[in-house]
Amino acid sequence: MSWGTDQPGYPQEQPEGYGYGHGYGAGQQQQPYGQPQYGGPPYPQQYDGHDQQGYAPEYAPADYSAYVVPEQATGDTARLPLVEPPPVEGEFAAATEADAKPRDGGPEAEPAPDARPKPAGRDRYFDTLRAVALVRVVTYHTFGWAWAGMVFPSMGIMFALAGTLMAKSLERPALKVIRSRIRRLLPPFWFWGFFVVVAMLIHDWMPGWQIVYWIVPLGDPPGNAWGEQAWEILWYLRTYLWFVLLSPLLLRMFRLAPVAVLVLSLAPILVVHFLWEPPDDRFGSALTDLATFLFCWILGFAHRDGVLQRLKPFAVVVLSLAAIGYAGWYAFTHQAETDSYDLDDIPLAQAFWSAGFVTLLMYAKAHFRIDFAGLARFKRLDRIVTIFNARAVTLYLWHEIALILAVPLIDQFWNVPAFETYLPLESQWFMFGIGWILIAVFILLCGWVEDVAAKKKPRLLP
């Protein structure tokens, strides 16, 4: 048995001129392989802004004065030698020196903060959420399950995590932070885009001036139908980039009235859906995506600034469940408009479902102080989570190409009688497994670009 190019995974022919970038509502439904692939999650997100956790214990400098025996006023008793304190080396030297200095305010002054550098730590709760979100994206793009977004709304989670990290990073100068984010994003995008663009040129693509969006994806990069399955996922990078550029202004507005701005961040999607329909072009697509996930991004600010911790649990749970309920009701009662209840096809439902679901996740983190520190006991799982986070951009960009290449690879398996007999070559689960093997190959071959973008020494694996 052999699969031809009309079998699952091969891009289907589209009308002439089709290849224009689509936004969240137009090109995100992902059907099982064999149908056009759309959508995409996650972005990936950036890593230089994680919460720092100080694990260094408190070390008080020793009081060696007790070992000094004062000179006797009378008698022949010999004076014992002065015992000097042992030299202090390494990271504790700075702490001892700092503690030995006089402190303003006299003996009643508050103790000076610990001057020793504390080891950086990653929040494994957030890392785990990001890793699960990436797995859910690959799963959705393999099987096209409409309910997948309701079980775990990956995109809302990814934008909320990115918003949290952006708020932390903006403790530094805004321009420096924006440059850092763009620097980390664009080189992996350029590296991936070079292969996609060259492949489309070989397959008769004639680009216009819009090719500039392949340099800075402020709008959907153009392409032809042949490469659509690969470039359709770029809506996430475009939306993420706009959120990064807008974050200094958004954060300033949020801090003026945190709760009010958080609630009102759902207003744009209501306006876009009920009052004003954006144009069917790059601008309209970008505007719809920003409106859909604005609440999640602002929710990241709320978590970082401690706003969530001050909210009443009852109010948070009730309002979150109400948002989820409204989104589910709307999705199931408007299936006729999209022939599906898939949230990726219904921006309004996606916005409210993600808002409620992600709020519960973030509030649980803030209220119960969940950190998943125990993940370190499971070495292999902890290692996978680390790799997924350090290579999130690579995994996101290359996963669709890996799933596409899995089809012709499996096609060759049919030529081996033993494979044909004993392997489930027709199963999508088998293709799912082969896809992950190819994703691992791409991480090894291409992940080093993320190290270069972060000004780190390139490595096969982090």
Side-chain angles (χ1 to χ4, degrees):
M1 177 178 178
S2 177
W3 293 357
T5 57
D6 59 343
Q7 295 299 325
Y10 285 88
Q12 306 298 313
E13 292 296 327
Q14 301 290 344
E16 182 67 18
Y18 190 86
Y20 190 84
H22 299 293
Y24 178 81
Q28 297 203 37
Q29 183 175 1
Q30 191 72 22
Q31 299 297 333
Y33 270 70
Q35 303 181 33
Q37 306 294 324
Y38 298 98
Y43 176 89
Q45 297 308 331
Q46 312 303 320
Y47 312 102
D48 64 339
H50 270 279
D51 292 340
Q52 302 301 310
Q53 299 173 347
Y55 298 107
E58 296 295 334
Y59 293 90
D63 183 5
Y64 294 99
S65 61
Y67 296 97
V68 181
V69 180
E71 183 177 359
Q72 302 298 320
T74 60
D76 299 330
T77 306
R79 184 176 59 182
L80 295 177
L82 175 66
V83 180
E84 296 291 342
V88 183
E89 300 178 353
E91 64 171 322
F92 305 124
T96 306
E97 180 182 354
D99 289 338
K101 293 180 180 180
R103 296 165 185 167
D104 294 337
E108 298 300 324
E110 292 293 330
D114 192 356
R116 282 173 276 97
K118 296 181 180 180
R122 295 186 64 93
D123 191 314
R124 299 311 271 173
Y125 180 76
F126 285 162
D127 284 351
T128 302
L129 288 181
R130 186 178 293 107
V132 174
L134 290 169
V135 172
R136 204 283 288 167
V137 167
V138 177
T139 304
Y140 175 71
H141 287 170
T142 303
F143 301 97
W145 293 327
W147 47 264
M150 293 184 173
V151 173
F152 199 78
S154 291
M155 302 320 303
I157 290 170
M158 295 302 300
F159 281 117
L161 298 182
T164 296
L165 300 181
M166 193 66 187
K168 176 178 174 58
S169 296
L170 284 174
E171 296 170 1
R172 298 179 284 129
L175 289 179
K176 182 178 180 181
V177 173
I178 292 174
R179 284 198 301 267
S180 174
R181 288 290 189 270
I182 294 175
R183 188 192 72 238
R184 287 170 174 265
L185 176 65
L186 292 185
F189 166 67
W190 291 335
F191 184 80
W192 171 87
F194 172 80
F195 295 97
V196 176
V197 168
V198 169
M200 290 192 298
L201 291 173
I202 294 174
H203 288 80
D204 303 323
W205 180 46
M206 291 294 294
W209 68 267
Q210 295 90 348
I211 197 172
V212 297
Y213 292 117
W214 281 100
I215 300 175
V216 180
L218 291 175
D220 293 315
N224 61 4
W226 183 88
E228 181 181 2
Q229 189 169 315
W231 54 255
E232 271 278 324
I233 63 174
L234 293 179
W235 73 269
Y236 175 79
L237 271 67
R238 177 252 293 152
T239 306
Y240 171 83
L241 185 57
W242 273 111
F243 273 135
V244 167
L245 295 175
L246 294 172
S247 281
L249 176 61
L250 292 175
L251 185 58
R252 180 173 298 181
M253 294 173 57
F254 169 76
R255 286 174 174 169
L256 292 176
V259 177
V261 171
L262 179 62
V263 174
L264 289 176
S265 62
L266 284 170
I269 189 61
L270 294 172
V271 172
V272 165
H273 189 84
F274 292 110
L275 301 179
W276 176 69
E277 183 177 357
D280 187 18
D281 55 17
R282 284 184 174 86
F283 172 76
S285 298
L287 196 60
T288 300
D289 294 341
L290 287 170
T292 301
F293 295 104
L294 177 62
F295 180 93
C296 293
W297 191 270
I298 300 295
L299 184 67
F301 294 171
H303 174 269
R304 174 60 191 172
D305 283 8
V307 175
L308 292 181
Q309 290 177 301
R310 300 195 294 269
L311 300 179
K312 299 296 183 181
F314 179 79
V316 171
V317 172
V318 169
L319 292 176
S320 297
L321 293 179
I324 293 173
Y326 173 70
W329 169 82
Y330 191 91
F332 282 102
T333 57
H334 290 74
Q335 294 185 59
E337 300 175 7
T338 60
D339 296 325
S340 173
Y341 59 88
D342 192 329
L343 297 179
D344 283 355
D345 295 330
I346 313 171
L348 180 68
Q350 177 72 281
F352 276 85
W353 188 279
S354 296
F357 197 102
V358 180
T359 296
L360 292 176
L361 288 177
M362 300 291 278
Y363 187 75
K365 163 68 177 174
H367 186 72
F368 298 106
R369 303 184 183 276
I370 305 172
D371 58 10
F372 279 11
L375 185 66
R377 296 197 300 266
F378 306 93
K379 300 298 183 182
R380 293 183 179 179
L381 183 59
D382 185 65
R383 179 65 174 152
I384 292 173
V385 170
T386 297
I387 293 173
F388 275 33
N389 279 267
R391 295 291 184 258
V393 181
T394 300
L395 196 160
Y396 179 67
L397 287 173
W398 290 93
H399 81 273
E400 277 282 24
I401 295 179
L403 293 174
I404 294 171
L405 294 179
V407 176
L409 179 60
I410 294 174
D411 187 40
Q412 298 302 313
F413 289 180
W414 290 98
N415 298 325
V416 181
F419 290 172
E420 182 179 2
T421 302
Y422 297 110
L423 294 180
L425 302 182
E426 293 181 330
S427 170
Q428 283 184 303
W429 284 101
F430 184 75
M431 189 186 71
F432 182 65
I434 296 297
W436 275 108
I437 293 175
L438 294 176
I439 288 172
V441 172
F442 281 125
I443 287 176
L444 291 173
L445 295 179
C446 309
W448 58 270
V449 181
E450 292 195 61
D451 292 330
V452 174
K455 296 184 178 180
K456 298 177 181 178
K457 181 179 179 181
R459 294 181 295 175
L460 286 177
L461 287 176

